[in-house]
Amino acid sequence: MVIGKGGASIKEMMDKFDVNLQVPGTSQKSNQIIVRGHKDNVEECKAQLLKCLEKWDSEKEDRALKSYSLNLTVDHRHHSKIIGKKGAVINKIKDEHDVQIKMPDRNSTGDLDVITIVGYETAAEAARDTIMKIVAELEERVSDSVEIDSRIHA
């Protein structure tokens, strides 16, 4: 942002360029910042403000790209294995793919099988593939029972 936390960026520009900046309040809904000072200083400050605007626009595009979201339906029986002990598995997936993963709340009345992944599209899809690989391995596991006389195993 141009203003910065507590007006720090504006104050810094005013000191750096020896100008006075007048930023309209949010209630005024104006897009104009007034720069007053020596002509050369005003031009330098305006150039710096335009650079800030360009940077903000490019970051805005990046934020939009990084906001790609996909939902993945995974049987809630597998969620504990996807999360792992103390979150180790899910944190590893998040770190490897630079995504956010939201598991459904157990106490929710909504769909308990939907996992949401947010990040760049390719990263979110790679994280999805990693989770689906874990699910495939879990679904290959079987459970069976063998009847043995209790006198033998007691």
Side-chain angles (χ1 to χ4, degrees):
M1 294 292 236
V2 174
I3 296 173
K5 188 175 182 177
S9 297
I10 290 290
K11 290 174 187 171
E12 185 179 314
M13 276 192 202
M14 288 170 57
D15 290 342
K16 180 178 178 180
F17 298 106
D18 191 28
V19 294
N20 186 9
L21 294 173
Q22 184 179 350
V23 180
T26 53
S27 62
Q28 292 176 327
K29 299 190 186 234
S30 173
N31 293 335
Q32 289 190 355
I33 296 175
I34 298 172
V35 185
R36 290 189 177 100
H38 188 273
K39 183 179 178 179
D40 294 338
N41 294 353
V42 168
E43 291 303 317
E44 287 179 39
C45 186
K46 280 176 56 178
Q48 182 68 34
L49 285 168
L50 291 173
K51 277 186 189 178
C52 289
L53 181 60
E54 286 175 19
K55 181 181 176 191
W56 188 82
D57 282 341
S58 70
E59 289 173 354
K60 182 179 175 184
E61 287 179 34
D62 189 55
R63 282 190 301 274
L65 290 172
K66 198 171 186 171
S67 296
Y68 177 81
S69 175
L70 65 84
N71 290 330
L72 181 61
T73 303
V74 174
D75 191 317
H76 64 275
R77 295 175 301 134
H78 301 311
H79 289 190
S80 62
K81 296 294 184 190
I82 293 168
I83 294 169
K85 190 174 185 175
K86 295 185 179 182
V89 175
I90 198 167
N91 287 333
K92 182 178 178 189
I93 295 169
K94 288 179 182 181
D95 292 343
E96 283 180 1
H97 301 290
D98 191 26
V99 294
Q100 294 299 314
I101 301 175
K102 183 177 182 320
M103 302 298 287
D105 184 1
R106 288 186 216 174
N107 301 326
S108 171
T109 56
D111 194 345
L112 295 177
D113 293 338
V114 177
I115 298 171
T116 303
I117 304 171
V118 179
Y120 292 111
E121 184 175 359
T122 55
E125 289 173 350
R128 175 201 58 205
D129 294 345
T130 301
I131 291 171
M132 292 311 295
K133 183 178 176 187
I134 293 169
V135 170
E137 290 171 3
L138 291 171
E139 289 183 347
E140 285 180 9
R141 294 181 181 181
V142 294
S143 178
D144 205 350
S145 62
V146 177
E147 196 165 319
I148 299 176
D149 190 331
S150 64
R151 293 175 294 169
I152 297 174
H153 67 79

